[in-house]
Amino acid sequence: MPSTTLSPLHKTDGSASYAHNGFSVIGGVNGPIEVQRRDELPEEAAIDVVVRPAAGVGGIRERHLESIIESTLRHIIVVEAHPRTLIQVTLQVVSTQEEDSTFGALHQAASNIQILPALLQTAVLALLSSSIPLSMIVTSTLIGVDAFGKLIIDPSVKEVHLASSIHVVAYSSQGDLIVIESEGSFSTEILEQVVESASQVCRGPNSDGSKTVDAHMEEGVISLEDSMRILLQTKTAKEQKWKENLGKI
C-alpha cells in the first residue's frame, strides 16, 4: 500500500508526500495567490504545475508530465471559486525505482509516464491538505502488459522494459475516466482490459460506490480511493479534536 503524509511542509498552504512502487514524491501547493496580468483568467483560477526531477534540471519529459497533471487538476479543482488568482503546485521527485546495470541505462528512454501516478497522487493530496475546494478526488495506477498479454499492476523497472506496453489510468471518485496515457504497442481489447483492471485498483471491486470503505476492509480489499478516504477521515478527526481542545482553553 502507498505511504502518505499530509502537511509535511510548513511554509506552504498545503503539502503532501507520497511513496509507492519505488517512487517517492513530495509536493507543495500555494494559492490562491496573486497572478501576473498576462496569466490572469477573468472567470477562474489559473493553475501552474512544476515537476522537478530527483537530479538535474527538468526537460521535455517534465514539461510533458506537467501538461498532463495541469489538465487533470483543472477537472477536479473548483477553479470558478477563485477567479483572477493563481494556484501553484510544485512536485519534487525524491527518489525513483532502483535501476540495475542491465536495464538502468535504457529505462529513461523506455518510459516517460511510469512516475505519473505518484505525481498525480501527490498533487491531489497536497490540494486536499491546502483546503482548496475540489469537486472530486482522483486516483491513478500504472499497468504493464507483457509479451503474452498478461497485465502487471505496478510493474518494476525490469518489467516495464520488457513490457509490450504500459498504461497510466486515473479515475475520479465519481467514476469518470480522467486520464489514460499509454506507451508501446497494444490492441483495443488489451486497452479495455487495462481500463477495467485500473478501475478495480483505483475504485475497488464494486466501482458503483454501493459499498463503504468499512465493507471493503472487512472483505480485505482496499482500493486506492479507499486509502485516500481513510486518510481524509483521519485528517478530519484530528482537526475536529484540535478545535474541541481549543474550545476548552
Side-chain angles (χ1 to χ4, degrees):
M1 293 300 293
S3 173
T4 58
T5 304
L6 291 180
S7 305
L9 305 176
H10 303 295
K11 294 186 178 181
T12 61
D13 294 326
S15 61
S17 64
Y18 182 89
H20 183 55
N21 193 32
F23 293 101
S24 179
V25 180
I26 188 167
V29 171
N30 285 302
I33 59 177
E34 185 177 356
V35 62
Q36 293 187 12
R37 182 60 62 89
R38 66 184 181 187
D39 299 322
E40 185 180 276
L41 300 176
E43 297 182 355
E44 59 187 42
I47 300 174
D48 178 48
V49 177
V50 177
V51 175
R52 296 175 178 169
V57 179
I60 296 176
R61 176 173 181 254
E62 283 69 32
R63 302 296 84 78
H64 175 58
L65 292 170
E66 290 168 359
S67 176
I68 297 171
I69 296 167
E70 181 179 334
S71 175
T72 305
L73 297 184
R74 187 160 291 280
H75 278 88
I76 68 172
I77 297 174
V78 185
V79 291
E80 298 83 1
H82 301 287
R84 301 180 185 275
T85 63
L86 174 67
I87 297 172
Q88 290 182 325
V89 180
T90 303
L91 302 168
Q92 173 68 58
V93 179
V94 178
S95 62
T96 60
Q97 288 179 332
E98 294 182 359
E99 300 173 2
D100 60 43
S101 58
T102 304
F103 296 94
L106 298 174
H107 171 59
Q108 290 297 332
S111 172
N112 289 325
I113 63 173
Q114 191 177 359
I115 196 174
L116 182 56
L119 293 170
L120 281 171
Q121 295 307 120
T122 306
V124 173
L125 288 167
L127 286 167
L128 290 168
S129 171
S130 71
S131 298
I132 289 175
L134 305 180
S135 60
M136 53 188 141
I137 59 175
V138 167
T139 50
S140 176
T141 189
L142 176 73
I143 297 180
V145 182
D146 68 14
F148 302 99
K150 178 184 177 182
L151 272 57
I152 307 169
I153 308 297
D154 295 330
S156 65
V157 171
K158 182 177 180 179
E159 288 170 332
V160 166
H161 178 72
L162 295 175
S164 59
S165 65
I166 62 170
H167 310 263
V168 172
V169 184
Y171 275 92
S172 76
S173 53
Q174 297 176 355
D176 300 319
L177 181 61
I178 298 293
V179 176
I180 180 163
E181 293 286 330
S182 303
E183 294 178 350
S185 176
F186 53 92
S187 65
T188 303
E189 290 76 15
I190 286 293
L191 186 59
E192 290 175 350
Q193 293 177 32
V194 166
V195 170
E196 176 60 28
S197 180
S199 175
Q200 300 286 315
V201 174
C202 292
R203 308 207 64 225
N206 65 310
S207 55
D208 59 358
S210 60
K211 289 188 178 181
T212 64
V213 175
D214 290 339
H216 284 173
M217 292 181 69
E218 289 177 0
E219 295 174 354
V221 180
I222 302 296
S223 67
L224 293 175
E225 189 174 306
D226 289 335
S227 298
M228 189 169 288
R229 291 186 185 280
I230 292 170
L231 187 67
L232 291 176
Q233 289 171 1
T234 303
K235 175 179 180 289
T236 302
K238 288 182 178 180
E239 291 176 349
Q240 183 63 33
K241 185 175 181 180
W242 180 82
K243 290 179 181 179
E244 292 174 355
N245 292 335
L246 186 63
K248 296 177 182 180
I249 297 177

